[in-house]
Amino acid sequence: MGHLITVATSLNQWALDFQGNCDRILESVRIAKERGATLRVGPELEIPGYGCLDHFLEGDTTRHSWEILAILLKAEETKGILCDVGMPVVHKSVTYNCRILIHDAKILLIRPKMWLANDGNYRELRYFSPWTKHRQIEDFFLPDFIREITGQVKVPIGDAVISTYDTCVGVELCEELFTPASPHILMGLDGVEIFTNSSGSHHELRKLNTRVDLLRGATTKLGGIYLYANQQGCDGDRLYYDGCALIAINGRIVAQGSQFSLNDVEVITATINIDDVRNYRGRSSRNMQAGQSEAYPRIEVPISLSPGRHDGLIDEAGMRAFRVRYHSPEEEIALGPACWLWDYLRRSRTQGYFVPLSGGIDSCATAVIVSSMCRLVAAAAARGDKQVIADARRIAGEDEKSGYLPTDHREFCGRIFHTCYMGTENSSPETRMRAKLLAESIGSYHVDLNMDTLVTAIRELFTFVTGKTPRFRAHGGSPAENLALQNIQARLRMVIAYLFAQLLPWVRGRVGGLLVLGSANVDESLRGYLTKYDCSSADINPIGGISKTDLKAFIAYARDAFELPVLDSFLNATPTAELEPITENYVQADEADMGMTYNELSVFGRIRKVERSGPYSMFMKLTHEWGSFLSPNQIADKVKLFFFEHARNRHKMTTLTPSYHAESYSPDDNRFDLRPFLYPSRFPYQFAMIDQAVAELPDRTAPTMEAKSKTD
């Protein structure tokens, strides 16, 4: 038996960029053939792009996908290699998410997806129907212009496998790997030796471990070769697809692509001996089940995927020594949002980013992520990445024929990144200095201004119209006055941010405008601790899906990894909005304002969203988790306050700036966390049930306090 060279790819596809997507597919096939591969697998729906959303409901999307497939069928690159590509297909007036296997200008099989992703960020049932005829195929009649290329009138569509002279290949699509009864189980029992998985799996902090465990589990029990291809990059919305193509054999990962990269095309290969799979499957219990398994329809193809008995040397020692590379959460924050920002910047064809720097840790994190993006661009330019260099020249305002190379990340940052400190009489010298030093450290073009004249003008206008002068709480004002005066400052900062974002390039003798970045973290959004239409209102937000706890850990990491000692001052500062006057007895602090800590917010967020709990269930869970140091009554008060504030501020989520999705408890109202925005915010029935439980539950903190008293 000969050795087989297999390929899995990560492509930075873009929704509806049909020509660009086609070029990237062909480039991946060209690279695969150069490396001697005979099987190439690409990401899910790679022809139109996975993120087309409601455009999948349009006939044009399917029509243009067939037109691109025609180009692929005719291309010299696809000759002599089995290619697995993805696109929507309409069969009997039903639209399916399909893989199309092609070889030498022939369509071998159209394999529709059977189990669709339809929760969290995914709504595949909105666009596609699942193929429910398991182990069945039907005839699919090809469009006229495809028939002219392939010479075929009809091809099989359905749940089948590809049988070659030397092996058997089965297809699995993304979510199907995550289901309890994955198709690879029955395919493997029926003799399939190579499984392909074309995925559109987005990044979430700490998620890679799950994918790797699934691949290992799939091939540990069954034996087999598993090729996992994934989309990479921002293809048009809040998600970043983190690539990381993988190849596994018999429970071992033997090849891995990069998880975060500016590359548009990445190909990984592995040379594998199929006999290793057959030997691995020698267990009696496996073979007893295999002997009873139902047969799949087999599409017989007169080709061999292995070129010959002795061709292709296998690096057995290297494969056995291979270890999966995992990034720490701090590294994921440094890399994922940075790659997302680069894709968004170059594809929106704008001239850079603008961030209002407050001197606090959130806007600091946003700025450091942009700096990380500039570092990635500089590293890619130093490697000679032509696409990155071309994009960087255009964004920086250089002529196409310019010899400019963005190899100095601080210099490039100064060209495309603009920061601004917007101070008022309530701002401290410390936050102003932190913002200035951070801008100098990363190299951004920095502006420092006072906006008291604007704030005063708004207050005087109100006094002129109403005859009333609102005052801060520190000066004897009511809560309504105090909040209104804070919101004036916050909302004016949003107006100033967009003014400067539009005109700073003009000030610097350039054309175009800047994208405004927001800096509200996921915990503040969950609690509603932000002003509607303030600086949280921006074009996009790289940290909107990241918790305060993770952001602080990221800043500590960046301080050392990026050699930015100025970040120490941000880590040691008390989070504050600086919207109220500072007095001898009062300094505004975020956690005091919110009535809960950021760590508590993370716990509330996970129980509410990930564990699908309402007020009563959350209370009962926390009595077990926190009951040793908080009384039932204290826990009840915290849960009630959280749900009250979350409910009465939920309307803010309807206008939340599109944010990088990184956290499983994100309150993003767009499609991840769908809930009402008008609640009975005091939850009378639910809170009454909590009160009833409080009266019945023992206080487990009492013995602890009593024991502590005796010890003292």
Side-chain angles (χ1 to χ4, degrees), residues 43-49 56 61-70 72 85-90 96-100 110-111 128 173:
E44 189 171 11
L45 292 165
E46 60 191 303
I47 288 179
F56 283 124
T61 304
T62 303
R63 181 181 304 109
H64 296 328
S65 295
W66 279 111
E67 290 163 356
I68 297 302
L69 182 65
L72 298 178
V85 297
M87 58 176 268
V89 172
V90 178
Y96 297 99
N97 173 352
C98 293
R99 302 305 297 176
I100 300 186
I110 301 175
R111 201 295 206 164
F128 305 113
L173 274 84

Side-chain angles (χ1 to χ4, degrees), residues 288-431:
M288 282 189 283
Q289 290 188 342
Q292 301 173 27
S293 66
E294 294 184 35
Y296 275 78
R298 272 173 158 70
I299 310 301
E300 296 183 357
V301 185
I303 61 172
S304 292
L305 295 184
S306 54
R309 179 176 296 275
H310 302 296
D311 292 343
L313 296 177
I314 297 179
D315 181 10
E316 287 285 358
M319 288 199 296
R320 293 189 183 282
F322 184 85
R323 296 292 180 268
V324 175
R325 300 182 300 277
Y326 295 103
H327 291 288
S328 68
E330 295 78 21
E331 290 173 323
E332 290 185 85
I333 294 170
L335 297 171
C339 292
W340 182 73
L341 285 178
W342 177 246
D343 277 346
Y344 202 99
L345 180 61
R346 69 192 182 106
R347 286 175 168 170
S348 65
R349 302 188 77 82
T350 46
Q351 279 60 57
Y353 286 120
F354 179 93
V355 171
L357 278 184
S358 68
I361 203 164
D362 292 331
S363 60
C364 166
T366 296
V368 173
I369 287 170
V370 176
S371 174
S372 177
M373 179 197 80
C374 294
R375 290 168 186 267
L376 292 173
V377 170
R383 293 193 305 269
D385 188 313
K386 294 180 181 179
Q387 185 62 59
V388 170
I389 292 170
D391 288 332
R393 285 174 178 166
R394 176 177 48 79
I395 293 166
E398 293 286 336
D399 186 83
E400 289 183 7
K401 298 179 181 178
S402 166
Y404 170 69
L405 289 176
T407 51
D408 182 334
H409 65 86
R410 291 187 74 258
E411 186 274 337
F412 183 63
C413 187
R415 286 176 175 246
I416 61 99
F417 188 35
H418 303 68
T419 53
C420 180
Y421 182 84
M422 305 177 193
T424 69
E425 61 184 359
N426 300 319
S427 304
S428 67
E430 291 80 11
T431 55

